[in-house]
Amino acid sequence: CEKDLESAERTFIAIKPDGVQRKLIGEIVARFEKKGLKLVGCKLIQPSRKLAEKHYAEHKGKPFYEGLLDFITSGPVFAMVWEGKEVVSTARSLIGLTDPKKSPMNTIRGDFGIDVGRNIIHGSDSVESAQREIGLWFSKNELTRSSVTIEKWIY
Ligand code: ABT
Ligand code: MG
């Protein structure tokens, strides 16, 4: 409905270096599109150490932190912003659980991953994280403003 459109939720999604190298960009983008979500920005970018540190600040000090930074900066990442009703939780459902081994089939990690350190894709875990991460990875003029709307056919 109109009110939902005005305050459309956004989330930050990134296909990690493993997903890019394994040629999963098309497959993953197709799943998000077919779900009814709207792409409002995307770019292929190899993140600097500084950006990676900011992105994963919540994990600083954990045993896997340095390895995580090495991994995420090791090659190009396909960074995206998607929009839609409750898109943060919807995207996490499409992605699956942190550990691909435990992630159900028909989720992205369940279908394509094996190892928790190579889990293919990142999705913001809350609306607040999404706003922070979108600001880290994108400048405002890299994101489109809503124009054509097909939402009335979806919700
Ligand atoms: P992200 O979308 O990458 O943030 O993953 P998710 O939110 O599902 O899981 P969290 B807990 O945020 O993990 C971040 C990255 O850290 C890796 N990790 C996590 C480990 O390697 N070992 C661990 O024990 C945990 C808890 C998985 C995530 N990224 N990768 N690659
Ligand atoms: Mg996370």
Side-chain angles (χ1 to χ4, degrees):
C1 67
E2 290 293 324
K3 195 165 177 296
D4 289 331
L5 289 180
E6 280 167 24
S7 54
E9 191 173 297
R10 289 180 167 188
T11 193
F12 174 70
I13 302 294
I15 303 176
K16 298 177 182 179
D18 55 336
V20 173
Q21 295 306 322
R22 292 179 53 198
K23 317 293 179 199
L24 293 173
I25 294 176
E27 166 78 34
I28 290 169
V29 169
R31 289 185 182 208
F32 277 74
E33 285 190 319
K34 287 177 191 168
K35 183 68 179 168
L37 301 174
K38 185 158 74 183
L39 184 63
V40 295
C42 66
K43 62 183 170 186
L44 193 65
I45 171 183
Q46 183 157 358
S48 64
R49 195 89 181 170
K50 205 165 190 174
L51 174 56
E53 282 170 5
K54 285 184 189 161
H55 177 78
Y56 279 127
E58 64 174 306
H59 296 301
K60 196 167 182 197
K62 294 184 187 168
F64 56 87
Y65 177 68
E66 289 299 328
L68 193 55
L69 297 185
D70 290 342
F71 169 56
I72 200 74
T73 57
S74 66
V77 165
F78 193 65
M80 299 170 273
V81 178
W82 288 87
E83 189 177 277
K85 191 175 181 181
E86 292 174 24
V87 67
V88 171
S89 60
T90 303
R92 294 280 288 194
S93 301
L94 289 174
I95 289 169
L97 305 177
T98 302
D99 186 348
K101 238 181 11 262
K102 298 183 184 132
S103 200
M105 291 299 132
N106 297 324
T107 64
I108 292 165
R109 288 172 177 161
D111 287 351
F112 304 121
I114 292 175
D115 191 284
V116 69
R118 299 284 182 275
N119 67 8
I120 301 161
I121 182 168
H122 165 82
S124 306
D125 59 15
S126 66
V127 172
E128 294 69 36
S129 303
Q131 287 166 351
R132 189 184 79 88
E133 291 167 3
I134 291 168
L136 282 178
W137 289 78
F138 285 93
S139 56
K140 231 175 181 169
N141 64 9
E142 291 177 308
L143 304 176
T144 57
R145 299 195 310 123
S146 303
S147 50
V148 178
T149 57
I150 60 159
E151 282 79 357
K152 68 175 177 176
W153 303 108
I154 299 165
Y155 41 74

